[in-house]
Amino acid sequence: MSESEKLDVMCRGSAELTIVAVHGIQGTRASWQPVADALGDEVRWVLPNLRGRAAAYRGTGSADYTLEKFADDIVAVIAQHVGTPETGKPNYVLAGWSMGVSVALAVYAQLKARGMPVPRGLILMSGSPVLQQTSWFNETAHSALLQEIAAREQRLALIHPADRDAVAWTWQAIRHSDQRTLLPTIDAPALIVHGSADEDSPWSHAQLLAHSLPHGQLRTIDGGAHSILTQNTTRVAEEMRAFLSNF
């Protein structure tokens, strides 16, 4: 079975508008569950587990966990699980939280390069377009990095955390990434939701997204930390609902 054939995707709801939601480096699709519950039947959800998480394809080293590899998988998810209405254009929005922001940006670039329909909008939460300027983890030796991953897992109170080896390989693959030159090429409306006290992706990175995306709009959660999907669920759902009402 090839990498792209071993996707782990859950779909829920039957609304006309679909959200394809990408989780963070240490989570699984369960990270989105509180917001999905809050929005209820207002949207249809396509919730993949990224490779190395749950039943998705499992790699054996950092080369299997690049942003490009993640983006390949999400493009395949979109092709398989996002329908095309009578208008001929897929009616979906692409959302990412934490590392999911970096993956979503890479997905948009791949769709555009392949001539495939891009999402009608982007929802970018608690992320950064320049991971080389974040400090999610500081250790480089694998064993020490695993310990640091375990500590962050507890701090963020993650629901169903990811396999720690997969997280370590992912960080080794993506920690030097810089997507700033990509931002001006993204034409879709983009909602950026970010906590002002985010301890992992500084609020200044949200400002960078808002200023560099041609149609970016920033909504700041005062005092919000990194885990806004679980700690600020009501506010996140309100911002998403207002943004999605435009489609």
Side-chain angles (χ1 to χ4, degrees):
M1 183 177 292
S2 68
E3 298 174 16
S4 61
E5 289 174 328
K6 197 172 180 183
L7 302 171
D8 181 13
V9 185
M10 181 180 73
C11 300
R12 57 181 286 185
S14 58
E16 293 184 2
L17 179 63
T18 294
I19 297 179
V20 179
V22 187
H23 61 76
I25 188 170
Q26 285 187 262
T28 62
R29 61 171 167 246
S31 300
W32 281 97
Q33 182 173 329
V35 177
D37 290 343
L39 289 177
D41 296 330
E42 297 176 49
V43 296
R44 172 178 177 262
W45 290 88
V46 173
L47 298 165
N49 278 320
L50 293 174
R51 55 174 53 208
R53 284 79 179 166
Y57 168 82
R58 305 193 74 78
T60 57
S62 59
D64 292 318
Y65 293 99
T66 63
L67 289 179
E68 291 73 23
K69 292 283 190 178
F70 287 128
D72 282 340
D73 293 344
I74 299 302
V75 168
V77 168
I78 292 168
Q80 291 183 25
H81 295 281
V82 178
T84 301
E86 294 180 0
T87 60
K89 295 182 179 180
N91 190 25
Y92 78 104
V93 169
L94 181 60
W97 171 73
S98 192
M99 185 190 74
V101 168
S102 303
V103 176
L105 295 174
V107 169
Y108 191 96
Q110 282 206 24
L111 290 169
K112 202 168 182 179
R114 298 181 189 186
M116 297 174 65
V118 297
R120 298 185 65 187
L122 295 174
I123 298 174
L124 309 174
M125 300 192 184
S126 307
S128 170
V130 54
L131 293 179
Q132 65 180 216
Q133 292 182 7
T134 64
S135 55
W136 293 352
F137 307 104
N138 298 306
E139 299 292 345
T140 54
H142 196 76
S143 59
L145 182 55
L146 290 177
Q147 294 179 7
E148 197 173 9
I149 287 167
R152 186 175 186 266
E153 183 181 299
Q154 294 181 357
R155 173 169 61 83
L156 295 179
L158 292 172
I159 304 171
H160 304 304
D163 174 81
R164 291 171 185 170
D165 280 319
V167 174
W169 288 325
T170 299
W171 182 242
Q172 290 163 356
I174 71 173
R175 63 192 180 95
H176 296 301
S177 64
D178 185 344
Q179 297 172 297
R180 285 176 288 187
T181 59
L182 170 62
L183 301 180
T185 70
I186 295 178
D187 301 324
L191 171 68
I192 301 125
V193 184
H194 211 98
S196 64
D198 193 312
E199 67 277 28
D200 290 302
S201 299
W203 183 65
S204 60
H205 292 209
Q207 292 179 295
L208 174 60
L209 282 169
H211 293 156
S212 301
L213 290 165
H215 306 289
Q217 51 183 284
L218 174 60
R219 299 291 182 266
T220 300
I221 299 177
D222 291 335
H226 193 63
S227 297
I228 59 173
L229 296 183
T230 53
Q231 295 176 354
N232 305 95
T233 305
T234 300
R235 172 67 185 281
V236 167
E238 289 172 353
E239 296 293 355
M240 289 180 64
R241 186 177 290 112
F243 180 70
L244 296 172
S245 67
N246 299 311
F247 303 115

